[in-house]
Amino acid sequence: MEQAEINLLGRSLRRIDQKLLTTEGDPHRVRIWYQGGEPYFDLFIELQRETIEWFQMTLRGRSISWQRQDQVWQTGITNELRTDDVMFYPASKTIESDRQTNPDFFALAEAILTTRKGEPLFDQLLEIFRGHYSPSPLKNIS
């Protein structure tokens, strides 16, 4: 993917009204949702006391997530691009995990987040990327 397209994707992320999201239980947990400028491009971040506990990004039928508790990275494939009967209900997104973390999608997600460098929440995400995984150089992801 060319840098111009990566920049466009990063700039397209818009925060969704907090009232649309609920987190059960802990009043110190907050879930934040960003939607991108194309279908199936979402970023969810869960904070506890201003610290990222979990996040998930989906884009073009791919997914990457991380959780603080186990320091686990996971990539996978979503069902969003499938045209079978399950997709008649849009809230039915499922993710099939990859057997190994996909370094190319990891690098693409990091490149997209880098376009928002200087914004505190995105800087926190970038610290997680840089501190916990060493991906291969960015390759062509369509």
Side-chain angles (χ1 to χ4, degrees):
M1 184 177 295
E2 293 186 23
Q3 189 62 48
E5 187 174 4
I6 291 169
N7 292 342
L8 184 63
L9 287 167
R11 284 192 313 266
S12 76
L13 286 167
R14 298 288 178 253
R15 190 167 174 169
I16 301 302
D17 186 350
Q18 194 65 33
K19 295 175 196 164
L20 297 175
L21 294 172
T22 60
T23 50
E24 301 293 326
D26 190 343
H28 300 289
R29 278 200 185 272
V30 175
R31 186 165 286 179
I32 299 170
W33 176 20
Y34 287 86
Q35 274 189 331
E38 63 180 61
Y40 317 120
F41 183 26
D42 293 290
L43 173 63
F44 289 93
I45 304 163
E46 190 169 280
L47 300 167
Q48 184 167 0
R49 300 181 193 271
E50 304 300 318
T51 299
I52 296 173
E53 294 296 323
W54 170 85
F55 76 87
Q56 177 183 73
M57 178 189 284
T58 58
L59 172 66
R60 300 178 184 174
R62 298 286 314 161
S63 168
I64 186 168
S65 62
W66 175 86
Q67 65 175 1
R68 176 172 303 286
Q69 180 178 357
D70 298 322
Q71 301 288 304
V72 172
W73 285 100
Q74 187 66 58
T75 57
I77 299 171
T78 71
N79 66 335
E80 294 169 312
L81 299 180
R82 292 185 188 157
T83 57
D84 58 13
D85 291 344
V86 173
M87 290 313 300
F88 289 148
Y89 182 61
S92 62
K93 180 190 307 188
T94 61
I95 297 173
E96 182 179 329
S97 296
D98 294 329
R99 290 179 187 239
Q100 294 182 320
T101 303
N102 179 324
D104 296 332
F105 192 69
F106 182 99
L108 176 59
E110 182 178 16
I112 291 168
L113 295 173
T114 299
T115 68
R116 303 291 288 264
K117 188 176 180 178
E119 296 178 46
L121 191 55
F122 287 88
D123 287 347
Q124 278 190 59
L125 286 168
L126 289 168
E127 284 300 315
I128 293 168
F129 271 81
R130 293 187 183 120
H132 295 93
Y133 189 78
S134 298
S136 64
L138 183 61
K139 295 181 183 174
N140 188 16
I141 300 282
S142 302

